[in-house]
Amino acid sequence: MNITIKDKNFETLIEYCMIEKRTRLIGLEISIAYEQSVPVFLGVLNGSFMFMADLLKEISIPCETTFVKLASYHGDLQSSGTITEELGIAMDLQNRDVIIVEDIVDSGTTLAYLLKKVKALKPASVKIATLLQKPDALAVDLGEIDYVGFEISNEFVVGYGLDYDGLGRNLKDIYRLCEG
């Protein structure tokens, strides 16, 4: 199915049923890995809210949640490279197991910025869970990302929390920008 958001056309890339299946598996992996712990899930707003909500429904162990809001896209199709911190870390993470939940890792610049902030708070451990990863777009070395829903090519996507100029976050499926 094709959709139009503002002046751009998009086509289906990943259907919600596939997102559900992959999220269920990641939730199971995390629940097993942290069964002796009470991890803190640190969601990166706005994009991660849908993935984090569905992921937490699949977590079978006690856990806590908190959010940060960082921005590197400012209405464009590519990251500006400038990170704006709109909501900082409001929880004491010292000696806690932290799982950063991202919607998408593309250049990695925002995640590298957040990792530095989180590690300065002296957590027991830090892992990353992301719904989407664009390996070809990585501009910084993040090491291995611990939990990845889907690897995608370096193309612009919307839906399931991801937006184009503020629109499209509410779509269940993930769509890619059509060429031309």
Side-chain angles (χ1 to χ4, degrees):
M1 181 173 102
N2 288 1
I3 61 166
T4 301
I5 301 175
K6 285 192 157 185
D7 57 340
K8 305 285 185 213
N9 293 315
F10 296 87
E11 64 186 3
T12 305
L13 176 64
I14 304 170
E15 293 181 350
Y16 182 67
C17 63
M18 297 302 297
I19 296 169
E20 282 182 304
K21 289 176 186 175
R22 190 67 189 115
T23 302
R24 191 172 304 121
L25 288 173
I26 293 171
L28 180 62
E29 284 181 64
I30 291 172
S31 294
I32 291 168
Y34 290 89
E35 64 186 351
Q36 302 300 317
S37 176
V38 178
V40 174
F41 288 84
L42 175 62
V44 182
L45 295 172
N46 284 334
S48 75
F49 76 99
M50 287 181 84
F51 176 50
M52 185 150 156
D54 285 348
L55 178 61
L56 288 172
K57 292 174 196 169
E58 302 298 336
I59 301 297
S60 60
I61 58 170
C63 63
E64 292 183 65
T65 62
T66 190
F67 293 91
V68 296
K69 186 172 182 183
L70 306 172
S72 65
Y73 283 78
H74 303 284
D76 296 323
L77 296 178
Q78 293 184 333
S79 173
S80 67
T82 303
I83 298 165
T84 306
E85 190 171 324
E86 298 175 6
L87 176 66
I89 300 168
M91 179 184 272
D92 181 7
L93 300 178
Q94 187 169 349
N95 298 320
R96 301 293 306 272
D97 293 312
V98 177
I99 302 167
I100 297 172
V101 181
E102 271 279 24
D103 54 349
I104 188 166
V105 176
D106 46 29
S107 72
T109 306
T110 302
L111 186 53
Y113 173 90
L114 181 57
L115 279 168
K116 184 177 178 181
K117 287 261 193 198
V118 169
K119 288 179 179 179
L121 298 174
K122 299 182 172 57
S125 69
V126 181
K127 301 284 184 180
I128 301 161
T130 187
L131 177 63
L132 303 174
Q133 179 181 9
K134 295 181 182 179
D136 295 339
L138 274 177
V140 296
D141 182 15
L142 297 170
E144 186 176 337
I145 296 182
D146 307 281
Y147 305 101
V148 177
F150 302 93
E151 287 189 358
I152 63 171
S153 60
N154 190 13
E155 53 194 340
F156 189 80
V157 291
V158 299
Y160 196 72
L162 297 138
D163 74 302
Y164 168 51
D165 202 16
L167 300 173
R169 290 188 195 280
N170 59 308
L171 301 167
K172 284 177 66 169
D173 301 325
I174 295 174
Y175 298 82
R176 69 174 153 215
L177 183 64
C178 293
E179 296 297 318

